[in-house]
């Protein structure tokens, strides 16, 4: 009897152990699988993380009323009342070649243009609706022309596509729909599957009819309109089937743009998209891996052309934002909102030209760079590429900059902005205080000299080892 009992007990222990082993190995398998996906993501996003700086372009019929791309929703305009703007949108002087030249001059490496925004009007020759540019201007597929112009300048090309559609009859009256206060509209019947079919089919057109697309920027999820509501798994599978190397943003899921992301990160998108904000640190996934991200930023306060929005950021603020992003392993996607005829506002051109001048001298501290393993200094930021450490002196205070407790061997220190050697000293007026590394544009390091670039004077430190 005792013997039987012991056997039963032993059996139970063996079973529990087996269960535990199975459970543990399934956990392990999940981890391995995640790791594999994460490695693929790392490989796929390599050019993107190296590029660091791109141009966002919000262009569409909303440039006619000139009150931003949300005008239809903000002013609760019906499709019928919005139609005159759409009909009037026939920009004879649309020249994306000029945009591409400006992007290149600013030091940008890629671009993303709105193929369709929330108003539903398409800038491409879709077969699925007449609500498109080729109805207004036969033979002029603006997406195609944009892609050709940007590729010709050697820039990578991306397309923005709105998941939301205020024009489609099967898109419900939800979220910030322009008809949200119209009780009659609530009674309307809509067929969600039909809208999904349309949306998937349009994305398929974009993925199949325009050659290689480098980025797809889907926008955006809200409330329970996320993930499988969009049939995201099927959509992503289709996208990757036609464009295996495409980089996909993360807006098929809600909660984009949070300042710290701690979720598994290889499902519906390749990178996070904080909007109009700079995260406080680099972004990590559920396992602490640093993940790709891109802050998108307007030059004034609206994405689409807004004739009365004159709150322009300074070139200095933009350079700072770019450096800030790179120092935290992120990208900057900087927006322009061309006027209805396709001209980029003069203020935007001026800011981008200034940024371009800075990039001409200092871009090696941006491209292929990421965070340095050093605390953020009060005088600016660090970026790093292998053995090259870049000190971005954005906060021109008194005297020198100091890298406290710096224990790396340095082979050469130059002012990248001028190409001149920098002055370095490890003590302060002969004081033998340890752990300082003072740098200035000239000797003696303790005095104050005018900086060659008030926006950001970059000091390059060539290290002996990474
Ligand atoms: C938001 C806005 C949109 C803009 C986008 C850019 O989702 O709805 O107008 O295109 O952000 O990130």
């Amino acid at each position: 009897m005792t013997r039987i009992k012991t056997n039963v007990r032993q059996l139970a222990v063996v079973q529990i152990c087996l269960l535990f082993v199975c459970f543990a190995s399934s956990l392990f398998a999940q981890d391995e699988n995640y790791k594999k996906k994460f490695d693929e993501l790392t490989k796929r996003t390599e050019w993107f993380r190296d590029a660091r700086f791109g141009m966002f372009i919000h262009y569409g019929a909303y440039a006619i009323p000139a009150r931003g791309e949300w005008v239809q929703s903000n002013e609760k305009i019906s499709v019928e009342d919005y139609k005159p703007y759409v009909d009037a949108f026939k920009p004879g002087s649309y020249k994306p070649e000029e945009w591409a030249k400006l992007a290149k001059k600013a030091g940008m490496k890629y671009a993303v243009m709105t193929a369709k925004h929330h108003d539903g009007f398409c800038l491409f020759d879709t077969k699925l609706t007449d609500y498109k540019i080729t109805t207004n201007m036969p033979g002029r597929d603006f997406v195609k022309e944009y892609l050709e112009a940007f590729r010709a300048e050697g820039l990578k090309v991306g397309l923005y596509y709105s998941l939301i559609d205020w024009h489609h009859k099967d898109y419900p009256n939800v979220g910030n729909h322009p008809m949200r206060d119209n009780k009659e509209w609530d009674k309307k019947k809509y067929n969600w599957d039909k809208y999904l079919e349309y949306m998937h089919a349009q994305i398929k057109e974009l993925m199949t009819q325009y050659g290689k697309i480098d980025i797809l920027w889907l926008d955006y999820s809200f409330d329970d309109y996320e993930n499988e509501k969009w049939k995201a798994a099927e959509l992503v599978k289709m996208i990757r089937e036609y464009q295996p190397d495409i980089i996909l943003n993360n807006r098929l899921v809600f909660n984009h743009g949070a300042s710290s992301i701690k979720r598994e990160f290889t499902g519906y998108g390749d990178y996070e998209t904080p909007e109009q904000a700079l995260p406080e640190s680099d972004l990590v996934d559920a396992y602490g891996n640093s993940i790709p991200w891109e802050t998108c930023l307007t030059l004034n306060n609206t994405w689409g052309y807004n004739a009365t929005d004159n709150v322009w950021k300074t070139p200095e603020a933009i350079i700072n934002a770019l450096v800030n992003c790179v120092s935290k392993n992120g990208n900057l996607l900087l927006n322009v909102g061309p006027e209805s005829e396709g001209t980029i506002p003069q203020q935007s051109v001026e800011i981008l030209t200034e940024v371009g001048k800075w990039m001409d001298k200092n871009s090696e501290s941006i491209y292929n760079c990421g965070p340095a393993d050093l605390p953020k200094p009060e005088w600016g930021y660090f970026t790093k590429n292998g053995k090259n450490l870049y000190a971005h002196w954005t906060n021109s205070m008194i005297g020198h900059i100091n890298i406290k407790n710096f224990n790396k061997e340095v082979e050469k220190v130059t002012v990248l902005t001028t190409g001149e050697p920098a002055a370095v000293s490890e003590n302060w007026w002969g004081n033998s205080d340890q752990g300082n590394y003072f740098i200035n544009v000239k000797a003696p390091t303790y005095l104050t000299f005018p900086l060659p670039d008030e926006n950001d004077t970059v000091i390059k430190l060539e290290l002996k080892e990474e």
Side-chain angles (χ1 to χ4, degrees), residues 52-347:
R52 291 303 185 204
F53 192 25
M55 176 182 267
F56 214 173
I57 306 162
H58 278 71
Y59 188 46
Y62 39 78
I64 297 274
R67 299 193 288 278
E69 80 292 355
W70 268 74
V71 61
Q72 193 183 354
S73 167
N74 291 345
E75 299 178 19
K76 299 177 187 161
I77 305 175
S78 67
V79 164
E80 292 68 37
D81 292 341
Y82 193 70
K83 184 121 191 332
Y85 300 136
V86 167
D87 291 343
F89 187 63
K90 293 178 184 164
S93 44
Y94 171 66
K95 281 198 196 72
E97 299 79 13
E98 287 174 8
W99 303 352
K101 286 201 175 78
L102 179 64
K104 185 142 190 195
K105 201 163 109 188
M108 291 156 160
K109 291 280 194 183
Y110 63 98
V112 177
M113 182 178 83
T114 47
K116 179 193 95 170
H117 206 269
H118 307 334
D119 65 0
F121 184 71
C122 301
L123 289 192
F124 62 108
D125 190 15
T126 167
K127 293 190 181 55
L128 299 154
T129 179
D130 289 337
Y131 208 52
K132 58 177 176 179
I133 191 65
T134 38
T135 303
N136 293 9
M137 301 174 76
R140 297 289 305 273
D141 184 325
F142 278 18
V143 162
K144 184 164 173 277
E145 292 178 27
Y146 146 77
L147 292 170
E148 284 168 0
F150 277 72
R151 284 180 189 135
E153 290 295 334
L155 301 172
K156 298 267 189 193
V157 287
L159 296 174
Y160 169 108
Y161 181 88
S162 172
L163 300 168
I164 294 163
D165 194 316
W166 298 327
H167 174 261
H168 199 280
K169 67 175 182 30
D170 287 311
Y171 188 85
N173 194 5
V174 291
N176 289 311
H177 196 286
M179 294 296 101
R180 58 192 173 277
D181 292 342
N182 184 328
K183 293 282 164 274
E184 284 310 298
W185 256 77
D186 287 340
K187 291 181 205 147
K188 283 202 177 194
K189 295 248 176 308
Y190 66 91
N191 183 335
W192 179 244
D193 283 339
K194 273 237 144 58
Y195 175 66
L196 284 188
E197 219 175 90
Y198 172 83
M199 188 259 272
H200 281 223
Q202 280 207 320
I203 294 177
K204 182 170 171 185
E205 288 184 324
L206 292 172
M207 296 298 98
T208 54
Q209 292 172 15
Y210 297 93
K212 190 168 188 290
I213 306 296
D214 301 298
I215 298 173
L216 181 61
W217 222 98
L218 299 173
D219 197 34
Y220 60 89
S221 293
F222 57 98
D223 303 337
D224 59 337
Y225 283 74
E226 66 158 350
N227 289 347
E228 283 317 300
K229 184 80 178 177
W230 306 116
K231 289 204 175 147
E234 194 183 311
L235 184 63
V236 172
K237 191 162 169 266
M238 180 271 286
I239 293 166
R240 295 227 184 277
E241 190 181 322
Y242 296 115
Q243 298 281 344
D245 298 325
I246 202 162
I247 300 181
L248 194 60
N249 78 338
N250 72 330
R251 293 198 177 178
L252 281 167
V253 286
F254 193 25
N255 187 30
H256 58 76
S259 61
S260 85
I261 310 296
K262 297 252 163 49
R263 60 179 172 227
E264 293 225 344
F265 197 73
T266 57
Y268 296 143
D270 296 329
Y271 66 95
E272 292 291 339
T273 53
E275 182 171 323
Q276 305 281 42
L278 296 164
E280 280 161 28
S281 60
D282 64 343
L283 301 183
V284 294
D285 69 1
Y287 306 103
N289 301 308
S290 184
I291 55 172
W293 60 269
E294 173 196 66
T295 275
C296 50
L297 209 63
T298 48
L299 279 172
N300 49 1
N301 277 316
T302 2
W303 301 95
Y305 178 59
N306 184 341
T308 57
D309 179 355
N310 283 312
V311 188
W312 297 97
K313 296 178 182 70
T314 60
E316 183 184 7
I318 298 299
I319 292 165
N320 263 259
L322 175 61
V323 174
N324 188 326
C325 289
V326 178
S327 77
K328 297 169 188 166
N329 211 15
N331 286 23
L332 178 66
L333 185 64
L334 189 59
N335 184 70
V336 293
E339 294 165 20
S340 61
E341 276 302 306
T343 314
I344 293 181
Q346 190 51 30
Q347 294 91 331

Side-chain angles (χ1 to χ4, degrees), residues 381-402:
Y381 303 90
F382 287 116
T383 59
K384 190 165 183 274
N385 175 11
K387 288 184 185 173
N388 294 334
L389 174 67
Y390 301 95
H392 294 264
W393 194 346
T394 54
N395 183 2
S396 55
M397 299 178 301
I398 300 300
H400 56 270
I401 56 174
N402 185 14

Side-chain angles (χ1 to χ4, degrees), residues 25-43:
S25 64
S26 83
L27 270 186
F28 184 67
Q30 207 180 52
D31 255 16
E32 278 301 297
N33 194 19
Y34 184 79
K35 199 177 164 308
K36 191 169 159 258
K37 281 202 201 159
F38 198 85
D39 288 347
E40 281 167 16
L41 173 129
T42 305
K43 208 167 139 219

